Amino acid sequence: MHRHDDISWIDAKISYNTCEGRGLLCLHHLFKNHFLGGDERRVDSRTIYVGHRPCPASEPFIPPKFCDNRIVSSKYTVWNFLPKNLFEQFRRIANFYFLIIFLVQVIVDTPTSPVTSGLPLFFVITVTAIKQGYEDWLRHKADNEVNKYPVTVLEDGRRIRKESEKIKVGDVVQVEEDETFPCDLILLQSSRDDDTCFVTTASLDGESNHKTHYTVPDTEKDLESLNATIECEQPQPDLYKFVGRMHIYKNNQEPAVRSLGPENLLLKGATLKNTQKICGVAVYTGMETKMALNYQGKSQKRSVVEKSINAFLLVYLCILVSKALVCTTLKYVWQSKPGQDEPWYNEKTQREKDTNLYLKMFTDFLSFMVLFNFIIPVSMYVTVEMQKFLGSFFITWDKDFFDPEIKEGALVNTSDLNEELGQVEYVFTDKTGTLTQNNMEFIECCIDGFQYKYRDASSELDGFCVTDGPVSKLQQKAGREKEELFLRALCLCHTVQVKESTEQGQDQVDGLTDQLDGLGVDGELSQPQEQQRGFIASSPDEIALVKGAMRYGFTFLGLESKTMKILNRNNDVEKYELLHVLNFDPVRRRMSVIVRSTSGDTLLFCKGADSSIFPRVRQEEVERIRMHVERNATEGYRTLCVAYKHLSAVEYAQADAGLREARLALQDREEKLMAVYNQVETGMSLIGATAVEDRLQEEAAETMEALQGAGIKVWVLTGDKMETAKSTCYACRLFQRNTELLELTVRTLEDGGRRREERLHELLLEYHKKAVQDAPPVKAGVTRSWSSANQDYGFIVDGATLSMVLNSSSDSNSSRYKNLFLQICQNCTAVLCCRMAPLQKAQIVKMVKNSKGNPITLSIGDGANDVSMILEAHVGIGIKGKEGRQAVRNSDYAIPKLKHLKKLLLAHGHLYYVRIAHLVQYFFYKNLCFILPQFLYQFFCGYSQQPLYDAAYLTMYNICFTSMPILAYSLLEQHICIEVLLDNATLYREIAKNAMLRWGPFLYWTILGVFHGLLFFFGVRYLFSNPALQDNGQVFGNWSYGTIVFTVLVFTVTLKLALDTRHWTWINHFVIWGSLAFYVFFSFFWGGIIWPFLRQQRLYFVFANMLSSVSAWLVIILLILLSLLPEILLVVFRKPRGPHSRQVQFVMIKFVLI
Amino acid sequence: MIAAMMASSYNAKEEDGHHSGSSSHGGAGAVKSKKPDNTAFKQQRLPAWQPILTAGTVLPAFFVIGLIFIPIGIGLYVTSNNIKEFEVDYTGVDINSPCYSCAKNFSWNSTQSCVCSVNFTLEQPFESNVFMYYGLSNFYQNHRRYVKSRDDSQLNGDLSALMNPSKECEPYRTNDGLPIAPCGAIANSLFNDTLDLYYVDSNSTKTPIPLAKKGIAWWTDKHVKFRNPSGNTNLTVTFQGTTKPVNWRKPVYELDPSEADNNGFINEDFIVWMRTAALPTFRKLYRIIQKKSGTTPTLPSGRYILDITYNYPVLSFDGRKRMILSTISWMGGKNPFLGIAYITVGSICFFLGVVLLIIHHKYDTRNNSADIPN
């Protein structure tokens, strides 16, 4: 969650950094910053008067202006809906283009009536407006529900019911159990004795555990007489950051100052639990609450297909313009011949004669544009949108994605990226919770260099069983004292809470019989009722450790008013006063507690990653334990080291003072705290280490193998340490036994004792030579399993080295290193990046994303630390894991388990891509052969913009006659059935690199369209060389001509799609034959009546007469068949080629047979 | 409450994903624990027919198409060849042509109509009904300005449109302040040459050949689309207050003096003309020569004279006028295109069938083991 750094607070720091090495210019900047610092600070914070009571010591009371507590998530009001919505819609380039065409039709005398383009546009705009209006109405409704919710406000000693939106900053608000907080509050008073309250932030970040928040220490119980101001930072979106200070004024006393942190802040949207009621003062209201700040829409991701569409669109726009230009030019050439422009039978109106020649040319050009504008159809956008929208349902509906454990299926947050799932080239996966289950199990521990492995069958009194691992030669144990110290440390050094029954907040000690999620321990324990004990913690490691300690006889009973109780092996309750918690953070990678035992000893227990503990303990202890830690790490366990330190009274007093001071700091609090922490956590003694297993997700290995088979490169990005991550990679078969590992880590850099940078340079060159230059050129379509002769490389890099590569001191090196690094990575089958900070993950994704060829990237993760990479990648996938909902919320797709990724990509992604690619190509094709005859007709009608088809046909072609079959196709097509796709991951490679939407296929479709267009037009043209086509000698006119062409067109285009359809469900049958039937029916109907609203009855009985002519029938059949002939031929010739398709066919046949 | 707001602030996005999205809007951030329905449609497992086109399935189709198309093509070609057609250009471009002077001296204002006669000989007798067409070349009846210059409501007998024709008729909408009936460029340029055919027998006596005017227009046009205002009673009164098109010599209600119910908008010559042609070279049905009873051919071979009342100028736009006599078959007039096209396509299919057969055969023997059972 380092995403939303408050810029103003770190402003000074940044300016300092950027000034480095820029010389004088910067001095001025620094100068200004220093002197104006005070001024800025005032702007950066806000002062709140609790209960709006003026405070004696402060400046004259001016009620500050803050925004009210109204939440406005809606975009429109009744009044501005129409103009604002229309404006937004016409900002889309396509809509704007169609609007222009429509306006041209209205203003200029054009061949087709404005209705032909106005109607579809109106339809699209209306549907979109209705959809957006409806969504906005829902938002209004929800806003109102929130804004009108009654809340209790304490005002002058009275409780007043108010609507939530009327809360002002500074109001004291009372909230009862199970209510949500109406705005961000500073907790002043709680009904609980220990001045805490519990909240759940399930609706904010999805973490359903209870979080403890604390009242501001030492405030008076009587809120009426509380006279205080709160000074805090301006609103910022980070949910977990808050810095403030409270000044409490008592009668004539020096104001007391209390520090405020996130633990005092109750966020709007969170719910009060386990606490009868609380009172708090509003600090942020309405749109300034952290919740409101967090729910701004994320940036729109665009798919490759969309970019392809835009490229094709450009081509078609060029075709359109050149067609119009050709026609305009030829028109004026033709007219220059005498007698052509204005023969006696066809005189111009006076107005036409008066018009300026150049203006006429221009309007002619526009008219041609309008005539041919159907080549870029509005309906394509509608169909693509519908396809995406409806298509995404299949992901949510897929029962294979349903996870019985969490009772949820897949979730689609955006439907824009469906087809991108079929184009993925790089998968970036998180390790913990994604590859592994994040379900921790205590495996073993090592106390003072002796290994303790827990065995179920053990009946030893003390619950220990010592194994003869390779390390401990003898059946030896550490001293009992050390054992107990270690277990006490495990019991005390954590932030775990005991889950208590929800209805009885008071009796915490007896709340042991809670029926909870099966965390019970085996029949080892002396007290059976404790089997049901449940723990809540922010990290599953901690629970595993506490439970591990429980197995060995030390049970954590709970924390009650700063006293931790543990039940030791002798069933005695030990009490420790919790003095300080030195919180865990990913930078320090450790946490500590300072406790005071009943005997008065002050102890510091610290646990953390080996790398952060070893330097802080006495070195002679390290070696014995390091062996265990490293062995455990290679076995894939998560290891933690435990250390302790005895604090003397003086030491403690010093530490206590330091901590308190740092916590009160308003500026740079974190840095100051960090400094104190580092100071306290030194000179400890190492007691032992723990190993916790993080199990692999179901089918993780199979999934990874399938992805690699599909030609997708899998990169593991984790914050975990190298050994653990490496073993996970082996377990997932990302690395295999014959994989040669190229390591680029701090350790390899320090080998040889030279400067790191030199070594980095050297290693990069060496690996580059190995992996890139010496490797044989990779042939497309060769899978790893097939080419076992090739040496596989795995690449390992850690965060520190990565930052060296990316932020190398000299600019020239940096880009070169980056290039080398990328090339090595791209030639390795798997890449492991360990010790990554969340932002580094995003950096890596960004680097690959922007590398040559712009590969499509996919990030998958489950925790808040993956959010940055999920947002960065083309496709972000969240796993509905245990680490809260942030990843899911920020993802494009969310799935319950990693194993679902296989089907999501190989089946859904593949199918969506093929469907939409076909949809796009087909749409361009069908409109090209729709408009080409109309273009050709201009050569025969004196370039007069005479449309070939009737207006009804022009309008309906894309809306009714040809839209449904392609929509059905693009939703239902399975050119290869799902089982085969899942079984043959290599099929995924066939559509890699946007294979179906590159210029080759586009050219093919375009040529096909041109061929069909030419055929339709000239076929009918030669038929009409004698227009007497009926057996009674009567002749056909121009509308019959158009109708014959149009009939051939509709049938050919639909049958072409039928030929492409590999998967005929009843829906396809219904829609394809239904469309054709509808066309025939409509044509009869349209030509069967004299329509009173039409100015011209052009098609009156034209269709019926056409059908009465045998010649028309014959030419229609001939042209349809001739158009489809090359298509059929291609299908026949294409099929049997290549071993690949053959194999697929074979499998398919097998499936059919089964 | 707030959770509800949270849910709805996501609506825009989540709606896509949740089929139950609309129903659960108010349902807060409740866990969507619905298990997806196990229906064939939702699981994309609808029973489907999966045709696989292979050489094996397509081969017979090619042969069948070839076998059907070639006979049809031959039939069409023979039919077309059997149709007798005779064409004579009477524009009068050439100084030797009989209508040269008529064409040359044409003037809009002359009240005297110019008559010229063209002699021609039919080598073969025309059996069955013979259809007489006039053909025009380089006449752009499909020009947009021309095509739209009509008022179908007026032609359909609408009284208000009769007195106030559509704007589309400009500049042929009004004349001297009176509305033109029928208005528009198409009507104004009605083909008004009169063609009379005489058979010259061996005694050099001219026998007029009866030319039927009925049945040259589409039945639906004649009976529904075109109607005189207020029925057919006394057209002179009905058309009072309107004026004839500028280029016409007679008003619309006097188009056919010989037959009372062939006047006004329902005059068949007029209706035929109003159906605008598709291409600049076109023909339109003029008269029908009914088959005689007995075995005598409708038009026996021999000498004929065509008398033309030359009213229609085409030289100004480099046009041509023709008279065409043609018999008709089930496929319409003479047009070898269809026959040739069918024979060609049929042959191509057949040829491809053979080629495919060879390829398929060779391919088969090579890959016998891996072949798909068909």
Side-chain angles (χ1 to χ4, degrees), chain A residues 142 295 345 396-397 399 411 915 937 945 974 979 1023 1026 1028 1033-1034 1038 1064 1095 1097 1105 1111 1114 1145, chain B residues 8 10 17-18 33 38 43-45 49 133 140 144 152 168 217-218 276 278 331 333-335 342 372:
Chain A
Y295 291 102
Y345 59 84
T396 32
W397 282 338
K399 71 175 167 44
L411 176 74
R915 289 166 183 176
Y937 194 56
Q945 301 125 21
Q974 293 175 30
E979 285 81 3
L1023 182 76
N1026 183 353
Q1034 292 171 0
N1038 64 325
W1064 285 81
R1095 227 183 285 147
Q1097 313 293 335
N1105 265 304
S1111 294
L1114 288 172
Q1145 265 184 33
Chain B
S8 58
Y10 273 97
H18 279 289
S33 61
N38 188 12
Q43 300 306 323
Q44 307 196 57
R45 284 181 198 286
W49 171 54
Y133 297 90
Y140 283 84
R144 182 163 72 95
D152 277 351
E168 303 281 357
W218 290 11
T276 46
M331 59 168 281
K334 193 181 184 83
N335 191 354
Y342 262 81
I372 305 144

Side-chain angles (χ1 to χ4, degrees), chain A residues 414-679:
Chain A
T414 169
S415 55
D416 292 340
L417 299 170
N418 292 341
E419 65 276 1
E420 206 85 330
L421 293 172
Q423 290 294 303
V424 174
E425 288 168 69
Y426 286 88
V427 165
F428 298 95
T429 165
D430 175 40
K431 190 182 78 71
T432 316
T434 308
L435 281 176
T436 57
Q437 283 182 353
N438 204 13
N439 186 3
M440 305 296 170
E441 202 172 326
F442 187 86
I443 295 295
E444 61 173 47
C445 60
C446 148
I447 304 173
D448 206 20
F450 301 101
Q451 189 191 21
Y452 289 73
K453 196 158 196 165
Y454 172 73
R455 281 260 174 90
D456 283 345
S458 164
S459 56
E460 278 176 73
L461 190 75
D462 55 10
F464 276 78
C465 169
V466 184
T467 60
D468 50 348
V471 184
S472 53
K473 294 168 203 107
L474 297 164
Q475 295 262 339
Q476 229 175 353
K477 284 193 225 168
R480 189 175 178 85
E481 210 174 303
K482 286 257 176 169
E483 265 177 41
E484 293 195 346
L485 182 67
F486 177 78
L487 292 171
R488 276 193 193 102
L490 287 190
C491 273
L492 293 171
C493 182
H494 56 70
T495 54
V496 175
Q497 284 170 29
V498 174
K499 193 156 182 178
E500 53 190 87
S501 61
T502 41
E503 70 274 3
Q504 284 303 323
Q506 303 300 335
D507 64 358
Q508 293 161 351
V509 190
D510 300 331
L512 303 172
T513 46
D514 277 4
Q515 196 64 40
L516 284 166
D517 44 354
L519 295 175
V521 195
D522 314 75
E524 176 95 29
L525 291 160
S526 44
Q527 283 145 311
Q529 77 261 34
E530 290 194 14
Q531 287 180 17
Q532 307 286 320
R533 181 176 294 271
F535 298 106
I536 307 163
S538 49
S539 131
D541 296 64
E542 293 204 313
I543 295 179
L545 291 179
V546 171
K547 282 189 335 195
M550 201 150 88
R551 284 178 186 164
Y552 294 139
F554 274 76
T555 311
F556 174 62
L557 291 178
L559 173 73
E560 193 184 345
S561 45
K562 299 237 158 198
T563 307
M564 292 177 107
K565 290 188 200 162
I566 54 177
L567 193 71
N568 66 13
R569 287 191 198 155
N570 307 328
N571 281 340
D572 296 331
V573 175
E574 296 178 17
K575 285 189 183 177
Y576 293 90
E577 190 190 344
L578 180 62
L579 298 170
H580 284 288
V581 176
L582 282 56
N583 280 324
F584 178 86
D585 71 62
V587 184
R588 287 197 308 139
R589 303 183 59 82
R590 61 179 182 271
M591 62 111 26
S592 308
V593 290
I594 301 175
V595 293
R596 180 173 292 149
S597 68
T598 35
S599 56
D601 292 333
T602 312
L603 294 164
L604 176 136
F605 292 110
C606 178
K607 73 167 194 269
D610 48 3
S611 60
S612 64
I613 297 277
F614 287 160
R616 307 184 161 269
V617 298
R618 276 178 239 126
Q619 289 308 306
E620 64 270 19
E621 295 160 345
V622 170
E623 280 317 308
R624 278 183 296 171
I625 289 182
R626 189 197 291 275
M627 267 196 303
H628 286 273
V629 171
E630 283 180 357
R631 185 174 50 84
N632 283 335
T634 44
E635 277 167 22
Y637 300 139
R638 297 160 74 88
T639 56
L640 283 177
C641 293
V642 183
Y644 91 108
K645 179 183 177 184
H646 209 97
L647 290 175
S648 67
V650 181
E651 276 175 316
Y652 173 66
Q654 209 177 351
D656 187 48
L659 287 169
R660 277 178 200 281
E661 192 189 335
R663 281 200 184 125
L664 278 184
L666 205 53
Q667 202 87 46
D668 300 332
R669 180 186 291 173
E670 318 236 305
E671 284 81 5
K672 284 178 184 162
L673 271 177
M674 199 78 76
V676 181
Y677 287 168
N678 285 341
Q679 199 187 330

Side-chain angles (χ1 to χ4, degrees), chain A residues 638-880:
Chain A
R638 297 160 74 88
T639 56
L640 283 177
C641 293
V642 183
Y644 91 108
K645 179 183 177 184
H646 209 97
L647 290 175
S648 67
V650 181
E651 276 175 316
Y652 173 66
Q654 209 177 351
D656 187 48
L659 287 169
R660 277 178 200 281
E661 192 189 335
R663 281 200 184 125
L664 278 184
L666 205 53
Q667 202 87 46
D668 300 332
R669 180 186 291 173
E670 318 236 305
E671 284 81 5
K672 284 178 184 162
L673 271 177
M674 199 78 76
V676 181
Y677 287 168
N678 285 341
Q679 199 187 330
V680 176
E681 292 165 334
T682 44
M684 303 180 287
S685 29
L686 193 63
I687 1 179
T690 58
V692 171
E693 186 187 11
D694 190 1
R695 289 233 189 94
L696 279 190
Q697 287 278 1
E698 300 166 53
E699 295 174 34
E702 288 86 341
T703 308
M704 289 299 128
E705 217 166 27
L707 293 185
Q708 290 199 327
I712 301 172
K713 298 220 163 100
V714 181
W715 292 30
V716 178
L717 309 183
T718 177
D720 224 330
K721 71 169 73 65
M722 194 188 96
E723 288 75 19
T724 322
K726 204 158 87 181
S727 62
T728 309
C729 285
Y730 274 113
C732 294
R733 285 178 235 164
L734 282 175
F735 293 159
Q736 295 186 336
R737 210 169 295 146
N738 58 350
T739 308
E740 188 179 336
L741 295 183
L742 310 176
E743 262 183 51
L744 194 68
T745 58
V746 176
R747 209 170 60 188
T748 52
L749 289 187
E750 279 170 354
D751 284 352
R754 259 172 307 163
R755 276 188 59 225
R756 282 184 173 197
E757 311 236 326
E758 284 171 29
R759 180 79 184 135
L760 174 72
H761 184 79
E762 199 179 282
L763 274 177
L764 273 176
L765 285 180
E766 184 193 321
Y767 291 159
H768 186 261
K769 189 166 181 305
K770 233 187 217 177
V772 183
Q773 292 163 0
D774 293 352
V778 185
K779 270 178 252 152
V782 180
T783 36
R784 198 174 71 164
S785 51
W786 294 4
S787 59
S788 50
N790 271 4
Q791 176 64 46
D792 283 341
Y793 292 103
F795 191 57
I796 304 177
V797 65
D798 66 2
T801 321
L802 182 76
S803 65
M804 274 177 68
V805 171
L806 296 184
N807 317 316
S808 188
S809 49
S810 56
D811 287 336
S812 59
N813 269 0
S814 167
S815 61
R816 222 180 96 221
Y817 284 173
K818 216 164 143 178
N819 261 332
L820 284 175
F821 176 73
L822 252 178
Q823 284 180 12
I824 298 168
C825 287
Q826 284 167 347
N827 273 305
C828 290
T829 45
V831 175
L832 166 64
C833 304
C834 42
R835 298 285 196 218
M836 290 280 143
L839 275 177
Q840 275 185 315
K841 290 185 179 184
Q843 245 182 326
I844 293 239
V845 175
K846 194 174 186 175
M847 185 179 75
V848 173
K849 200 168 93 172
N850 296 331
S851 70
K852 212 180 95 205
N854 295 323
I856 307 298
T857 55
L858 177 146
S859 290
I860 179 163
D862 71 325
N865 58 341
D866 306 317
V867 168
S868 56
M869 75 170 181
I870 285 176
L871 289 174
E872 183 66 50
H874 290 104
V875 188
I877 302 213
I879 291 206
K880 298 177 171 178

Side-chain angles (χ1 to χ4, degrees), chain B residues 138-251:
Chain B
N138 204 24
F139 189 102
Y140 283 84
Q141 240 201 341
N142 57 4
H143 195 282
R144 182 163 72 95
R145 199 165 60 229
Y146 186 83
V147 171
K148 69 174 182 181
S149 184
R150 63 194 284 163
D151 185 347
D152 277 351
S153 333
Q154 192 190 44
L155 298 175
N156 194 230
D158 188 276
L159 276 172
S160 66
L162 177 73
M163 303 315 285
N164 184 19
S166 153
K167 279 204 312 291
E168 303 281 357
C169 285
E170 287 293 357
Y172 303 98
R173 187 167 161 266
T174 51
N175 190 20
D176 298 335
L178 286 176
I180 294 175
C183 76
I186 314 178
N188 183 59
S189 58
L190 174 69
F191 181 78
N192 56 358
D193 280 359
T194 316
L195 306 176
D196 290 304
L197 193 61
Y198 298 93
Y199 176 64
V200 183
D201 58 20
S202 46
N203 310 330
S204 300
T205 45
K206 274 167 78 177
T207 325
I209 291 172
L211 301 174
K213 311 175 176 175
K214 288 228 161 160
I216 57 173
W218 290 11
W219 190 91
T220 47
D221 282 1
K222 165 99 181 162
H223 292 92
V224 189
K225 193 174 169 183
F226 289 78
R227 255 185 288 173
N228 280 326
S230 66
N232 291 336
T233 50
N234 204 349
L235 291 173
T236 327
V237 180
T238 312
F239 283 99
Q240 199 120 55
T242 65
T243 181
K244 69 175 174 61
V246 193
N247 289 351
W248 286 19
R249 303 194 171 202
K250 297 173 279 186

